[in-house]
């Protein structure tokens, strides 16, 4: 029996654990691990014609990491249950493709990581002998994805905290979606900020009574289950685009670029890992707000994992492949309007950042005298990626942009930019006749602890 690939802690490289153990690490700490060895997927998958389905790609990616720890029949069942929705990939212009990650229950890319994490929790914890409980405080999209994912497991209780503070509060559409879920999903409103919610979760997680009474799992968007799910998305998008560039445009040897926002946990690192596994990806675009002067400080965890992944197995490679674009928040609406006018496709504000960056590269602004909105990322070489600086190479680039949230979550921004409201999927529609007021309130970690113990 071949053991799973082990992962090491980027903060303490001497600490390494098998994948199934890393999956059980609570909260953000579980996101500090990257694989000691990166498996390479076979050419028979990479250049398959017609290209493999998303589930087939996911099976090969997860099997490469889990090896014999999860039997193949069980693994395919987990994948089929985790990803029952479609994952469309299509062009919006001859050199720009979208992969829509918005067709899950929660309408965002976090559905992929949340649903596969839920399947793995059920698979690995079902023989523990103790009740399993999920505890989480996070953004509204992360919360919605996890709540819907765990609602399918009636024997697993899941408790979610969300803030009453107006700065962090959830949209009424999101709150109602969570409150309509089955009885194993419990939602508390906390009179405070999101930071207050997370503090309560952290204090409860280390309580001795809680530890001795249940298997408590605290998911995180940077967790390994999320990272590997996003690797599947990047790998699938690259293979799907590679298979159709011959008839979508006249570029004989396309250079595939993945564009993501650095603000979204793991998205850039997932694309880098997919490339390391054999995906035909040649470069990356990532974006930060113009107010972010030092990304390596503001996104310390993401940058540390990036450096470790980037240099792994190829330390001699020094030429940066990642173009960092600083966007002005005021120009996001303009980018949304520009995309709608040029392509007819309505994008969210998340995609608008990358669309704006890609546009400046396509138009030559990235290397124009006196105008340089693009720089290298994390490597401090003082030079741009070759696919940006070399005009011939830049003209052969094709960029893939993941649509990570449904435009319905950005309805006012879409209306302001385009003059129309985005369509809302039936599963996300708001019903004013149904309450969106939570029946539970929580004011302290002690209240939360008492609640959790009452479920045992």
């Amino acid at each position: 029996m071949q053991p799973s690939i082990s992962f090491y802690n980027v903060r303490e490289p001497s600490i390494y654990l098998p994948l199934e153990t890393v999956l059980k690490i609570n909260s953000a700490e579980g996101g500090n691990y990257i694989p000691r060895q990166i498996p390479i997927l076979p050419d028979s998958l990479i250049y398959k014609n017609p290209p493999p389905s998303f589930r087939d790609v996911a099976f090969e990616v997860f099997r490469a990491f889990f090896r014999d720890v999860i039997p193949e029949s069980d693994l395919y069942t987990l994948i089929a249950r985790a990803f029952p929705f479609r994952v469309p990939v299509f062009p919006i212009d001859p050199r720009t493709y979208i992969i829509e990650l918005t067709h899950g229950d929660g309408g965002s890319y976090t559905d992929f990581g949340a649903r596969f994490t839920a399947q793995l929790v059920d698979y690995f914890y079902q023989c523990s002998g103790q009740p399993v409980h999920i505890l989480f405080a996070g953004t509204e999209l992360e919360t919605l994805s996890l709540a819907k994912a765990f609602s399918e497991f009636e024997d697993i209780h899941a408790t979610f905290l969300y803030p009453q503070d107006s700065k962090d509060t959830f949209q009424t559409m999101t709150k109602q979606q969570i409150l309509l879920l089955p009885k194993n999903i419990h939602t508390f409103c906390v009179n405070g900020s999101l930071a207050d919610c997370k503090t309560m979760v952290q204090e409860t997680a280390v309580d001795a009574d809680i530890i001795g009474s249940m298997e408590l799992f605290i998911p995180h968007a940077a967790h390994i289950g999320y990272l590997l799910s996003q690797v599947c998305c990047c790998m699938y998008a690259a293979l799907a685009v590679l298979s159709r560039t011959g008839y979508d445009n006249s570029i004989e040897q396309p250079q595939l670029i993945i564009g993501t926002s650095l603000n979204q946990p793991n998205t850039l690192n997932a694309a880098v890992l997919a490339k390391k596994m054999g995906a035909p990806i040649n470069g990356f675009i990532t974006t930060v707000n113009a107010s972010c002067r030092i990304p390596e400080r503001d996104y310390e965890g993401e940058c540390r994992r990036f450096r470790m992944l980037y240099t792994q197995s190829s330390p001699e490679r020094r030429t940066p492949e990642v173009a960092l674009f600083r966007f002005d928040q005021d120009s996001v609406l303009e980018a949304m309007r520009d995309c709608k006018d040029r392509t007819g496709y309505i994008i969210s504000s998340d995609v608008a950042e990358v669309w704006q960056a890609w546009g400046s590269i396509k138009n030559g602004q990235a290397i124009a005298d006196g105008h340089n909105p693009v720089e290298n990322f994390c490597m401090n070489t003082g030079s741009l990626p070759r696919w940006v600086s070399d005009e011939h190479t830049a003209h052969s680039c094709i960029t893939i942009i993941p649509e990570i949230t449904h435009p319905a979550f950005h309805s006012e921004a879409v209306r302001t930019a385009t003059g129309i409201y985005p369509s809302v999927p039936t599963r996300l529609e708001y019903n004013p006749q149904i309450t969106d007021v939570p029946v539970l309130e929580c004011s302290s970690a002690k209240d939360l602890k008492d609640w959790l113990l009452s479920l045992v």
Side-chain angles (χ1 to χ4, degrees):
M1 178 175 175
Q2 198 173 22
S4 65
I5 285 181
S6 58
F7 283 61
Y8 68 91
N9 192 312
V10 295
R11 297 180 185 273
E12 296 289 342
S14 61
I15 299 176
Y16 56 91
L17 301 168
L19 175 54
E20 60 272 24
T21 302
V22 175
L23 289 168
K24 295 182 180 181
I25 296 176
N26 277 334
S27 196
E29 184 61 27
N32 286 327
Y33 286 79
I34 64 173
R36 293 179 70 196
Q37 172 190 350
I38 298 178
I40 307 298
L41 298 184
D43 286 348
S44 58
L45 177 78
I46 302 298
Y47 300 104
K48 183 180 178 182
N49 188 13
S53 67
F54 177 79
R55 288 186 186 178
D56 288 341
V57 169
F59 177 77
E60 295 295 341
V61 169
F62 286 121
R63 181 173 64 169
F65 285 99
F66 282 106
R67 293 176 172 169
D68 295 333
V69 169
I70 301 180
E72 290 188 2
S73 58
D74 290 355
L75 181 58
Y76 209 90
T77 298
L78 294 177
I79 289 170
R81 291 173 177 171
F83 311 121
F85 41 81
R86 62 195 183 95
V87 188
V89 179
F90 52 88
I92 57 174
D93 71 28
R95 295 175 58 195
T96 310
Y97 288 75
I98 296 287
I99 173 171
E100 285 187 340
L101 306 180
T102 59
H103 293 270
D105 289 343
S108 80
Y109 81 107
T110 54
D111 291 335
F112 290 80
R115 290 187 62 84
F116 195 69
T117 296
Q119 294 294 331
L120 291 176
V121 167
D122 179 63
Y123 187 83
F124 284 117
Y125 279 99
Q126 61 184 345
C127 299
S128 67
Q130 283 190 316
V132 180
H133 202 108
I134 309 303
L135 182 60
F136 184 75
T139 67
E140 63 175 329
L141 294 180
E142 293 167 357
T143 301
L144 180 59
S145 294
L146 282 165
K148 290 204 169 189
F150 280 101
S151 69
E152 299 178 7
F153 301 93
E154 60 182 17
D155 56 337
I156 298 178
H157 284 275
T159 297
F160 299 92
L161 309 185
Y162 78 84
Q164 195 173 30
D165 190 303
S166 59
K167 178 172 66 70
D168 296 321
T169 192
F170 291 6
Q171 297 182 48
T172 53
M173 176 178 70
T174 306
K175 287 190 286 187
Q176 187 178 90
Q177 288 289 313
I178 297 172
L179 292 169
L180 290 174
L181 294 174
K183 294 181 179 180
N184 66 312
I185 304 299
H186 314 284
T187 308
F188 284 90
C189 180
V190 175
N191 185 17
S193 65
L194 180 57
D196 296 328
C197 295
K198 291 183 176 181
T199 298
M200 291 172 61
V201 168
Q202 292 166 359
E203 292 177 0
T204 304
V206 297
D207 184 272
D209 293 334
I210 293 293
I211 294 173
S213 302
M214 65 183 67
E215 293 279 5
L216 185 67
F217 180 71
I218 303 174
H220 193 274
H223 203 269
I224 291 298
Y226 282 73
L227 172 65
L228 296 183
S229 296
Q230 291 174 45
V231 170
C232 298
C233 297
C234 294
M235 179 71 71
Y236 172 68
L239 301 189
V241 170
L242 183 67
S243 72
R244 57 180 295 166
T245 54
Y247 53 85
D248 283 338
N249 52 66
S250 58
I251 300 175
E252 295 183 359
Q253 295 182 319
Q255 308 287 306
L256 300 189
I257 310 300
I258 295 279
T260 67
S261 168
L262 193 59
N263 190 47
Q264 307 301 329
N266 273 334
T267 51
L268 174 61
N269 289 322
V272 172
L273 186 50
K275 173 180 171 60
K276 294 281 188 179
M277 294 183 70
I281 299 171
N282 301 93
F284 314 89
I285 296 172
T286 194
T287 61
V288 295
N289 194 291
S291 61
C292 175
R293 305 315 308 165
I294 308 176
E296 290 84 349
R297 180 190 64 198
D298 295 346
Y299 299 97
E300 180 184 1
E302 290 293 304
C303 291
R304 182 186 297 111
R305 290 191 291 272
F306 168 79
R307 285 195 185 95
M308 301 290 273
L309 280 172
Y310 190 89
T311 57
Q312 190 167 344
S313 76
S314 56
E316 75 287 348
R317 188 163 190 164
R318 298 179 181 178
T319 303
E321 299 172 335
V322 185
L324 173 69
F325 181 87
R326 299 179 186 277
F327 69 91
D328 184 343
Q329 189 63 49
D330 293 337
S331 65
V332 170
L333 293 179
E334 182 182 341
M336 295 170 71
R337 184 181 305 112
D338 178 69
C339 183
K340 174 65 167 60
D341 291 343
R342 290 176 181 272
T343 70
Y345 185 74
I346 295 177
I347 56 177
S348 70
S349 55
D350 300 308
V351 170
E353 302 169 11
V354 182
W355 170 264
Q356 186 180 15
W358 171 228
S360 71
I361 294 172
K362 280 198 302 182
N363 298 334
Q365 292 176 307
I367 56 176
D369 292 337
H371 185 81
N372 188 16
V374 180
E375 59 192 79
N376 68 68
F377 174 66
C378 260
M379 290 304 170
N380 300 320
T381 64
S383 61
L384 291 174
R386 183 174 178 272
W387 62 267
V388 175
S389 58
D390 183 86
E391 184 176 354
H392 176 74
T393 303
H395 286 164
S396 66
C397 287
I398 292 174
T399 290
I400 303 167
I401 308 177
E403 175 56 281
I404 59 176
T405 55
H406 196 283
F409 290 103
H410 310 266
S411 58
E412 288 302 324
V414 170
R415 185 197 63 80
T416 301
T418 68
I420 59 175
Y421 281 105
S423 60
V424 180
T426 303
R427 67 185 185 281
L428 297 177
E429 286 181 346
Y430 176 72
N431 187 341
Q433 297 180 341
I434 300 176
T435 180
D436 58 13
V437 179
V439 295
L440 300 173
E441 293 186 358
C442 188
S443 59
S444 68
K446 184 181 182 303
D447 290 345
L448 182 58
K449 171 187 171 179
D450 293 343
W451 160 259
L452 293 174
L453 292 176
S454 73
L455 297 174
V456 178

